Short mmCIF file of all heavy atoms in Angstrom, two decimals:
data_model
loop_
_atom_site.label_atom_id
_atom_site.label_comp_id
_atom_site.label_asym_id
_atom_site.label_seq_id
_atom_site.Cartn_x
_atom_site.Cartn_y
_atom_site.Cartn_z
N VAL C 723 90.68 110.95 79.60
CA VAL C 723 90.72 111.48 80.96
C VAL C 723 90.79 113.00 80.93
O VAL C 723 91.39 113.59 80.04
CB VAL C 723 91.89 110.91 81.77
CG1 VAL C 723 91.84 109.39 81.82
CG2 VAL C 723 93.23 111.37 81.21
N SER C 724 90.13 113.61 81.90
CA SER C 724 90.21 115.07 82.04
C SER C 724 90.09 115.40 83.52
O SER C 724 89.67 114.56 84.32
CB SER C 724 89.08 115.75 81.27
OG SER C 724 87.84 115.43 81.87
N THR C 725 90.46 116.59 83.88
CA THR C 725 90.33 116.99 85.28
C THR C 725 89.66 118.35 85.38
O THR C 725 89.77 119.19 84.50
CB THR C 725 91.71 117.10 85.98
OG1 THR C 725 92.55 117.96 85.20
CG2 THR C 725 92.36 115.74 86.13
N SER C 726 88.94 118.52 86.48
CA SER C 726 88.47 119.85 86.87
C SER C 726 89.14 120.14 88.20
O SER C 726 89.83 119.30 88.74
CB SER C 726 86.95 119.86 86.98
OG SER C 726 86.53 118.85 87.88
N ASN C 727 88.93 121.32 88.74
CA ASN C 727 89.72 121.68 89.90
C ASN C 727 88.96 122.52 90.91
O ASN C 727 88.61 123.66 90.63
CB ASN C 727 90.97 122.44 89.42
CG ASN C 727 91.88 122.85 90.57
OD1 ASN C 727 91.63 122.50 91.72
ND2 ASN C 727 92.92 123.59 90.26
N THR C 728 88.66 121.92 92.07
CA THR C 728 88.32 122.73 93.23
C THR C 728 89.48 122.54 94.20
O THR C 728 89.61 121.47 94.77
CB THR C 728 86.99 122.29 93.89
OG1 THR C 728 87.10 120.92 94.29
CG2 THR C 728 85.83 122.45 92.94
N PRO C 729 90.35 123.54 94.35
CA PRO C 729 91.56 123.33 95.14
C PRO C 729 91.22 122.88 96.56
O PRO C 729 90.24 123.33 97.14
CB PRO C 729 92.22 124.71 95.15
CG PRO C 729 91.67 125.41 93.97
CD PRO C 729 90.28 124.91 93.80
N CYS C 730 92.06 122.01 97.08
CA CYS C 730 91.85 121.55 98.44
C CYS C 730 92.25 122.67 99.40
O CYS C 730 93.38 123.14 99.35
CB CYS C 730 92.72 120.31 98.68
SG CYS C 730 92.70 119.78 100.40
N PRO C 731 91.33 123.10 100.26
CA PRO C 731 91.67 124.20 101.17
C PRO C 731 92.57 123.76 102.33
O PRO C 731 93.11 124.60 103.04
CB PRO C 731 90.30 124.65 101.70
CG PRO C 731 89.40 123.48 101.55
CD PRO C 731 89.93 122.66 100.41
N GLY C 732 92.77 122.46 102.48
CA GLY C 732 93.42 121.96 103.69
C GLY C 732 94.94 121.88 103.64
O GLY C 732 95.56 121.64 104.66
N ASN C 733 95.55 122.00 102.46
CA ASN C 733 97.01 121.92 102.44
C ASN C 733 97.59 123.03 101.57
O ASN C 733 96.88 123.60 100.73
CB ASN C 733 97.48 120.52 101.98
CG ASN C 733 97.02 120.17 100.57
OD1 ASN C 733 97.31 120.89 99.63
ND2 ASN C 733 96.30 119.07 100.44
N PRO C 734 98.87 123.37 101.77
CA PRO C 734 99.43 124.56 101.11
C PRO C 734 99.43 124.48 99.59
O PRO C 734 99.44 125.51 98.93
CB PRO C 734 100.85 124.63 101.67
CG PRO C 734 101.15 123.30 102.28
CD PRO C 734 99.83 122.74 102.70
N LEU C 735 99.44 123.29 99.02
CA LEU C 735 99.47 123.18 97.57
C LEU C 735 98.08 123.05 96.95
O LEU C 735 97.92 123.11 95.74
CB LEU C 735 100.31 121.96 97.16
CG LEU C 735 101.82 122.11 97.40
CD1 LEU C 735 102.50 120.74 97.38
CD2 LEU C 735 102.45 123.03 96.37
N GLY C 736 97.06 122.86 97.75
CA GLY C 736 95.70 122.73 97.22
C GLY C 736 95.49 121.45 96.45
O GLY C 736 94.64 121.36 95.56
N ILE C 737 96.29 120.39 96.77
CA ILE C 737 96.16 119.15 96.02
C ILE C 737 95.45 118.08 96.84
O ILE C 737 95.47 118.10 98.06
CB ILE C 737 97.54 118.62 95.54
CG1 ILE C 737 98.48 118.37 96.70
CG2 ILE C 737 98.16 119.59 94.57
CD1 ILE C 737 99.85 117.91 96.26
N LYS C 738 94.84 117.15 96.11
CA LYS C 738 94.01 116.16 96.79
C LYS C 738 94.58 114.74 96.72
O LYS C 738 94.37 113.95 97.62
CB LYS C 738 92.61 116.14 96.15
CG LYS C 738 91.86 117.47 96.32
CD LYS C 738 90.45 117.39 95.74
CE LYS C 738 89.72 118.71 95.97
NZ LYS C 738 88.36 118.69 95.39
N GLY C 739 95.25 114.40 95.65
CA GLY C 739 95.75 113.03 95.51
C GLY C 739 95.02 112.31 94.38
O GLY C 739 93.82 112.48 94.19
N CYS C 740 95.78 111.49 93.64
CA CYS C 740 95.22 110.91 92.43
C CYS C 740 95.54 109.42 92.26
O CYS C 740 95.18 108.81 91.27
CB CYS C 740 95.75 111.65 91.21
SG CYS C 740 97.55 111.50 91.06
N GLY C 741 96.22 108.84 93.22
CA GLY C 741 96.76 107.50 93.01
C GLY C 741 95.74 106.39 92.98
O GLY C 741 95.96 105.34 92.38
N GLU C 742 94.62 106.58 93.66
CA GLU C 742 93.68 105.47 93.80
C GLU C 742 92.37 105.68 93.06
O GLU C 742 91.58 104.74 92.91
CB GLU C 742 93.41 105.24 95.29
CG GLU C 742 94.64 104.81 96.03
CD GLU C 742 94.54 105.08 97.52
OE1 GLU C 742 94.49 106.26 97.90
OE2 GLU C 742 94.48 104.12 98.28
N ALA C 743 92.11 106.91 92.63
CA ALA C 743 90.81 107.26 92.07
C ALA C 743 90.37 106.29 90.97
O ALA C 743 89.23 105.81 90.97
CB ALA C 743 90.86 108.68 91.52
N GLY C 744 91.27 105.98 90.07
CA GLY C 744 90.90 105.12 88.94
C GLY C 744 90.38 103.77 89.39
O GLY C 744 89.39 103.25 88.85
N ALA C 745 91.04 103.19 90.40
CA ALA C 745 90.63 101.87 90.89
C ALA C 745 89.35 101.95 91.70
O ALA C 745 88.63 100.96 91.84
CB ALA C 745 91.75 101.26 91.73
N ILE C 746 89.08 103.14 92.25
CA ILE C 746 87.88 103.32 93.08
C ILE C 746 86.65 103.55 92.20
O ILE C 746 85.60 102.95 92.41
CB ILE C 746 88.09 104.51 94.05
CG1 ILE C 746 89.17 104.17 95.09
CG2 ILE C 746 86.77 104.91 94.72
CD1 ILE C 746 89.64 105.36 95.89
N GLY C 747 86.81 104.42 91.22
CA GLY C 747 85.65 104.85 90.46
C GLY C 747 85.22 103.91 89.34
O GLY C 747 84.05 103.92 88.93
N SER C 748 86.15 103.07 88.86
CA SER C 748 85.81 102.36 87.63
C SER C 748 84.96 101.09 87.76
O SER C 748 84.11 100.86 86.89
CB SER C 748 87.08 102.08 86.82
OG SER C 748 88.04 101.41 87.60
N PRO C 749 85.14 100.25 88.79
CA PRO C 749 84.37 98.98 88.76
C PRO C 749 82.85 99.15 88.64
O PRO C 749 82.23 98.48 87.80
CB PRO C 749 84.78 98.27 90.06
CG PRO C 749 86.14 98.82 90.37
CD PRO C 749 86.09 100.26 89.93
N PRO C 750 82.23 100.07 89.42
CA PRO C 750 80.77 100.16 89.25
C PRO C 750 80.37 100.70 87.88
O PRO C 750 79.32 100.30 87.35
CB PRO C 750 80.33 101.12 90.37
CG PRO C 750 81.57 101.79 90.85
CD PRO C 750 82.72 100.90 90.54
N ALA C 751 81.20 101.56 87.29
CA ALA C 751 80.85 102.07 85.96
C ALA C 751 80.81 100.92 84.96
O ALA C 751 79.92 100.85 84.10
CB ALA C 751 81.87 103.13 85.52
#
Side-chain angles (χ1 to χ4, degrees):
Chain C
V723 303
S724 67
T725 53
S726 56
N727 180 5
T728 59
C730 173
N733 61 57
L735 289 162
I737 59 182
K738 297 183 178 178
C740 62
E742 296 158 294
I746 292 168
S748 53

